[in-house]
Amino acid sequence: MSRPVLEPSLLPLEDARAFAALVDSHPFFDPSREIVIARAPGRLDVMGGIADYSGSLVLQWPLREATLVAVQATGDDSFEVSSLASECGGSAERVFQASIRDLFPDGTPLAYEAAQSWFAEHPESRWAGYVLGALIVLAREKSLQVSTGLRILIRSDVPEGKGVSSSAALEVSTMQALSALLHLGLDPREVALLSQIVENRIVGAACGVMDQMTASCGGEGELLSLLCQPAELRDPLALPEGLEFFGLDSGVRHSVSGSDYTSVRVAAFMGARILEQEIPRLGERRVHRYLVSITPSEFDAVAPRVLPEVLRGGDFLDKYGQTSDTVTRPDPDRDYAVRAATAHPVHEHFRVRTFARLLHGAPSEEVCDLLGELMYQSHASYSACGLGSDATDSLVEMVREAGPSHGFFGAKITGGGSGGTVAVLARKGASIDRIADEFALRSGRRPRIFTGSSPGAAAFGWLRQGPVERP
């Protein structure tokens, strides 16, 4: 039996070591063929959230929880994807089968729209689009010639629908494993950007890029600092000694493809288009591309005059035409809260930049209070956009009530909002169980607590296992 070989340098984490042992004995794989294993973590959205698609700076924390993917070439034309039952209660075991002919008729990959429709035809197999969609994207974007089928085995402890980016962890770990198996040599940023195309064009979720960049490029125990213009990595930020982040699952399922998130994104691009046309000096700064090029003071001075609080999609299209967004379009029959959705990224970019600056140096009580207030402001802005929920509001208020005297400084809803997980900034050693227990008393359900951190897919590398000889 051959031993796993890790490239480039990191010893396997505990979850990867256990998964490698499982793969080694799993009847799913052909023991005579090579297997490649990759790993990508979920993320805690500390600051930035839904401002990423408007060009904001974002700060993201790679979680300890991760998705592991093992891939093997079959030598025939079959695709077999098996997702093991989640140990965190997120999903049952799932199996999907297809052939090269399904996704590459006449040897060419399906167009993105056709691929999205193909996976959506059967809702029970839509999840496989996150996985096999990577092959279609690689074929279309990197001219990959797909001549063999694949076996793909997945194990994840990143819970689904909790706002901690289970989809990006799956996409990135799959893309990383395929890059290693097929010797594509993708760099970490490419892995992330190609994975975002999977989610935008194959799955049909209008996410920004921060989730995939964190899953690919994040470092253990540090904040990924990313300027989303479109994906410029800044120096990572260490969390000052004496502080830590927690995540608290509200129990309310979140979906980045949900209509609330999408409508807020559409409204923000509508607002950018209006500002560009109505205020020419702002348009000269390409507002339509990066809304956050406007300062909060500039926005507050002009917004009441030019941005309606609510605007019908059809009325917008008649006057301004389409937005610059490549993955969403205004619905002519829907009303959009344009002013609030446009205000959020403008003010959030300023909040994130201030948060990042405050992290430098020793964390005095005053600094901790300011960091917390920025998180509370971000949370309130989500609610103003219509992306809040009673459960996440309750968790944030419990953190506020506990306050600095109990080691808690700030909290906010994460990711796409409308439920999911709340990020908490606290003094190291603060009893997060206190908040969880109180929430359980009020709601009847105890939230899952996210703690710790782990490396992104690039820092982890990959395991190359086999061929394995068995009796």
Side-chain angles (χ1 to χ4, degrees):
M1 180 182 295
S2 67
R3 296 182 62 82
V5 177
L6 184 70
E7 301 172 359
S9 61
L10 195 71
L11 288 174
L13 300 180
E14 183 178 348
D15 58 353
R17 187 182 296 113
F19 186 62
L22 172 67
V23 166
D24 188 53
S25 60
H26 204 290
F28 182 72
F29 291 107
D30 180 345
S32 68
R33 289 180 172 269
E34 178 186 61
I35 303 167
V36 170
I37 297 171
R39 177 191 185 279
R43 64 97 186 96
L44 187 65
D45 166 35
V46 174
M47 290 291 289
I50 57 168
D52 61 343
Y53 51 70
S54 296
S56 179
L57 181 70
V58 299
L59 301 176
Q60 306 296 305
W61 183 259
L63 288 171
R64 180 179 58 192
E65 289 79 5
T67 296
L68 291 121
V69 170
V71 296
Q72 181 184 66
T74 62
D76 56 29
D77 68 349
S78 65
F79 295 129
E80 298 180 63
V81 186
S82 179
S83 178
L84 301 176
S86 171
E87 296 178 1
C88 56
S91 64
E93 185 168 354
R94 294 176 289 196
V95 177
F96 178 82
Q97 294 181 323
S99 73
I100 291 179
R101 294 185 302 277
D102 292 322
L103 304 184
F104 298 84
D106 302 320
T108 60
L110 291 172
Y112 287 139
E113 186 175 345
Q116 186 178 141
S117 298
W118 191 87
F119 284 107
E121 282 179 6
H122 306 288
E124 70 277 4
S125 61
R126 181 174 177 268
W127 65 274
Y130 292 98
V131 182
L132 292 178
L135 275 178
I136 296 173
V137 170
L138 287 170
R140 299 195 67 83
E141 304 296 329
K142 306 297 289 186
S143 301
L144 174 68
Q145 298 297 311
V146 178
S147 58
T148 180
L150 296 169
R151 295 184 186 91
I152 304 176
L153 185 67
I154 302 160
R155 190 207 70 94
S156 180
D157 56 10
V158 184
E160 298 176 14
K162 304 301 183 181
V164 291
S165 201
S166 60
S167 58
L170 177 56
E171 293 153 0
V172 167
S173 54
T174 301
M175 193 69 71
Q176 176 87 336
L178 290 174
S179 177
L181 180 74
L182 303 175
H183 304 283
L184 301 179
L186 300 178
D187 66 46
R189 188 173 181 274
E190 279 185 296
V191 167
L193 293 175
L194 292 170
S195 296
Q196 184 195 16
I197 296 174
V198 173
E199 185 141 0
N200 288 169
R201 306 299 299 275
I202 305 293
V203 179
C207 70
V209 74
M210 70 180 194
D211 297 349
Q212 291 81 8
M213 287 293 289
T214 308
S216 181
C217 306
E220 182 176 3
E222 59 188 23
L223 282 165
L224 180 97
S225 179
L226 178 72
L227 183 66
C228 301
Q229 299 188 11
E232 300 174 15
L233 283 168
R234 301 290 182 85
D235 289 339
L237 296 173
L239 190 62
E241 189 69 27
L243 297 178
E244 63 181 318
F245 292 118
F246 296 105
L248 290 171
D249 168 24
S250 69
V252 177
R253 187 175 179 85
H254 151 83
S255 173
V256 76
S257 58
S259 59
D260 286 344
Y261 169 88
T262 303
S263 67
V264 171
R265 175 171 176 149
V266 170
F269 276 93
M270 289 168 63
R273 179 75 180 90
I274 294 169
L275 288 170
E276 178 189 31
Q277 181 161 319
E278 299 294 338
I279 313 292
R281 64 182 173 82
L282 297 181
E284 291 171 3
R285 284 191 249 157
R286 299 175 63 80
V287 169
H288 69 283
R289 186 173 183 189
Y290 297 126
L291 178 57
V292 300
S293 63
I294 311 172
T295 66
S297 59
E298 287 176 313
F299 178 86
D300 292 343
V302 303
R305 178 161 50 91
V306 300
L307 289 180
E309 291 189 8
V310 178
L311 182 61
R312 194 81 167 170
D315 294 336
F316 170 85
L317 292 168
D318 289 342
K319 186 172 183 179
Y320 299 102
Q322 284 290 354
T323 70
S324 63
D325 193 8
T326 59
V327 295
T328 66
R329 291 290 183 267
D331 181 345
D333 299 319
R334 180 165 189 162
D335 291 330
Y336 293 93
V338 171
R339 190 182 299 172
T342 311
H344 176 80
V346 172
H347 289 273
E348 185 74 356
H349 182 52
F350 182 82
R351 285 188 288 262
V352 181
R353 290 165 60 206
T354 305
F355 194 99
R357 181 64 61 88
L358 288 171
L359 286 177
H360 295 287
S364 66
E365 287 296 315
E366 181 182 13
V367 166
C368 290
D369 289 343
L370 290 171
L371 291 168
E373 174 59 23
L374 291 168
M375 295 180 75
Y376 289 134
Q377 287 182 17
S378 179
H379 180 80
S381 187
Y382 265 81
S383 296
C385 291
L387 293 176
S389 77
D390 290 343
T392 50
D393 286 348
S394 181
L395 281 168
V396 169
E397 283 309 305
M398 288 176 197
V399 171
R400 193 193 299 270
E401 290 168 7
S405 63
H406 291 93
F408 296 100
F409 301 109
K412 63 175 284 290
I413 197 170
T414 64
S418 299
T421 294
V422 165
V424 179
L425 175 66
R427 187 180 296 117
K428 188 165 288 187
S431 178
I432 194 66
D433 286 335
R434 169 194 177 94
I435 308 297
D437 292 342
E438 179 64 22
F439 183 78
L441 285 174
R442 297 187 191 183
S443 68
R445 58 180 182 271
R446 194 176 194 280
R448 174 176 177 153
I449 300 172
F450 296 96
T451 62
S453 180
S454 67
F460 175 79
W462 55 84
L463 288 168
R464 201 177 289 277
Q465 193 159 307
V468 180
E469 297 177 1
R470 300 192 186 98

